[in-house]
């Protein structure tokens, strides 16, 4: 979908007459009608058309605006960010940055989009990504010491997300190993790390974060687990998507810049304090097998400590999922 010039004219949720829009766009009223329909189809936005009043997006939509995102950045985050791509639609912001990494783009590049048409979740799942309602954010970074130096990074990203949300007055966030963001047991966000390059040397990592802000109920029908969003937690009190995005980057960029040196240890204590399953009976599902036990937090490398009948086992991340024991 090419960047729409019609959408910003309707974003405030007020009616604009067909003639107004035709004048602003320099096209006929019939052409406006066609463009409105095309926009509604491509974005999934509910655009009302009322005779004598014109068109409106009921409730309006807060669009992502590069200037508003950068205005919300700390001086440090602003220094560390090498570029910001704000797209209207993309297959996946992670896929986009993996392409940029392969094309040799510098670390520190950020990509966000109003909509993902093929959002990627963990374990091969789709990440439901409707237009203009949630946050889909990816950051490209480069590391020199390979995958081993990155142990625990996805857990530290979870801590960074919870800090950002706290800074935006969204309290009560918890984490589920390895990297689900929860609120009251329901999924608020997810984290997906992808890597390219030399697993033993110089490699690029794309950190992807999906955060439910105002999930439309129609889109949520496709989600196969308990979910929540920031609007349900904070009502209208949250600062909006641009400021939330800035707050995420304020935590994420310094984390990435310091991780190769400091590793997961400085993040461990806070991760434990956010652990939704500490001391709970759980079942780990690796796909091929299931392992039951009591979750006892994580070690210095971010490995889950599972108390089983045969002692404490360290479980490393990857494609494993954790569920409460029945
Ligand atoms: C999960 O399954 O919990 C991880 C979801 C990660 C979703 C985010 S949205 C931004 C980035 N782009 C993607 O395609 N996926 C991640």
């Amino acid at each position: 979908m090419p960047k729409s010039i019609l959408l910003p004219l309707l974003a405030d949720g007020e009616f604009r007459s067909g003639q107004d829009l035709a004048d602003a766009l320099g096209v006929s009223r019939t052409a406006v009608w066609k463009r409105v329909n095309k926009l509604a189809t491509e974005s999934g936005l509910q655009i009302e058309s009322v005779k004598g009043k014109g068109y409106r997006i009921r409730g309006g939509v807060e669009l992502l605006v590069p200037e508003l995102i950068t205005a919300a950045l700390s001086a440090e985050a602003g220094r560390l960010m090498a570029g910001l791509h704000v797209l209207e639609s993309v297959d996946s912001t992670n896929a986009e940055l993996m392409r940029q990494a392969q094309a040799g783009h510098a670390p520190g590049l950020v990509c966000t989009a109003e909509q993902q048409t093929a959002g990627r979740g963990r374990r091969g799942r789709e990440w439901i990504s409707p237009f203009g309602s949630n946050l889909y954010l990816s950051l490209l970074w480069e590391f020199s010491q390979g995958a081993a130096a990155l142990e625990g990074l996805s857990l530290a990203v979870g801590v960074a997300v919870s800090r950002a949300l706290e800074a935006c007055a969204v309290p009560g966030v918890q984490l589920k190993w390895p990297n689900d963001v929860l609120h009251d047991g329901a999924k608020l966000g997810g984290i997906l790390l992808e890597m390219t390059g030399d697993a033993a040397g110089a490699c690029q990592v794309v950190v992807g974060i999906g955060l439910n802000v105002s999930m439309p109920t129609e889109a949520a029908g496709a989600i196969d687990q308990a979910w929540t969003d920031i609007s349900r937690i904070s009502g209208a009190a949250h600062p909006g998507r641009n400021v939330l995005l800035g707050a995420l980057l304020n935590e994420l960029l310094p984390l990435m810049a310091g991780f190769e040196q400091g590793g997961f240890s400085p993040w461990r204590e806070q991760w434990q304090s956010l652990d939704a399953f500490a001391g709970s009976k759980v079942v780990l599902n690796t796909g091929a097998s299931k392992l039951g036990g009591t979750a006892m937090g994580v070690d210095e490398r971010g490995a889950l400590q599972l108390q089983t009948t045969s002692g404490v086992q360290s479980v490393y991340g990857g494609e494993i999922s954790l569920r409460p024991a029945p």
Side-chain angles (χ1 to χ4, degrees):
M1 180 161 65
K3 197 124 184 130
S4 168
I5 38 177
L6 174 61
L7 183 56
L9 297 171
L10 294 171
D12 64 4
E14 300 297 324
F15 274 111
R16 297 285 304 260
S17 74
Q19 191 57 57
D20 248 21
L21 294 172
D23 292 345
L25 300 175
V27 298
S28 68
R29 284 169 58 185
T30 314
V32 166
W33 179 80
K34 281 189 188 153
R35 286 195 196 186
V36 167
N37 283 327
K38 187 162 182 280
L39 176 62
T41 310
E42 288 178 347
S43 67
L45 287 169
Q46 307 280 334
I47 307 181
E48 268 184 272
S49 157
V50 175
K51 218 167 172 196
K53 286 188 167 178
Y55 303 97
R56 73 166 176 182
I57 298 172
R58 194 196 281 267
V61 52
E62 184 206 358
L63 296 174
L64 296 170
V65 179
E67 293 74 19
L68 295 180
I69 298 167
T70 44
L73 292 182
S74 66
E76 187 184 11
R79 251 194 332 272
L80 292 168
M81 188 173 75
L84 172 64
H85 293 182
V86 178
L87 308 175
E88 211 153 82
S89 183
V90 70
D91 53 353
S92 144
T93 54
N94 264 29
E96 172 62 17
L97 285 194
M98 291 294 277
R99 291 189 284 268
Q100 299 283 347
Q102 273 140 19
H105 205 289
L109 180 62
V110 171
C111 179
T112 183
E114 298 288 3
Q115 173 188 46
Q116 297 185 116
T117 54
R120 298 177 179 172
R122 285 184 68 236
R123 311 203 305 140
R125 291 175 163 193
E126 185 191 358
W127 188 254
I128 304 299
S129 310
F131 192 97
S133 36
N134 299 322
L135 285 178
Y136 320 114
L137 166 70
S138 297
L139 167 65
L140 171 62
W141 207 260
E142 193 166 64
F143 294 93
S144 59
Q145 294 160 40
L150 304 179
E151 279 177 342
L153 175 59
S154 71
L155 279 75
V157 171
V159 174
V161 170
S162 104
R163 287 186 188 177
L165 289 173
E166 195 154 343
C168 292
V170 183
V173 166
Q174 289 196 300
L175 300 173
K176 182 176 101 164
W177 186 89
N179 43 21
D180 278 358
V181 181
L182 305 181
H183 189 274
D184 253 348
K187 189 148 168 173
L188 174 63
I191 294 160
L192 179 70
L193 266 60
E194 298 186 65
M195 198 183 132
T196 177
D198 182 356
C203 60
Q204 286 86 33
V205 174
V206 173
V207 176
I209 299 172
L211 198 60
N212 299 334
V213 180
S214 288
M215 178 68 86
T217 32
E218 317 83 65
I223 304 178
D224 59 359
Q225 56 188 312
W227 63 273
T228 188
D229 63 19
I230 291 176
S231 300
R232 280 172 175 77
I233 300 168
S234 305
H238 72 79
R241 293 192 306 146
N242 289 290
V243 171
L244 280 165
L245 204 85
L248 285 170
L249 291 171
N250 286 342
E251 295 294 337
L252 201 57
L253 284 155
L255 155 62
M256 299 303 278
F259 195 82
E260 202 154 30
Q261 205 170 26
F264 177 63
S265 319
W267 298 85
R268 180 174 169 229
E269 201 179 312
Q270 201 178 357
W271 195 93
Q272 312 264 45
S273 72
L274 296 165
D275 183 359
F277 283 82
S280 303
K281 294 242 181 292
V282 297
V283 177
L284 286 184
N285 190 348
T286 63
S289 65
K290 287 191 173 150
L291 181 62
T294 304
M296 307 291 287
V298 293
D299 70 5
E300 300 283 316
R301 301 167 67 186
L304 179 74
Q305 303 299 288
L306 189 69
Q307 177 78 58
T308 68
T309 45
S310 48
V312 176
Q313 295 199 20
S314 292
V315 185
Y316 293 88
E319 297 302 285
I320 299 172
S321 79
L322 177 151
R323 295 267 177 276

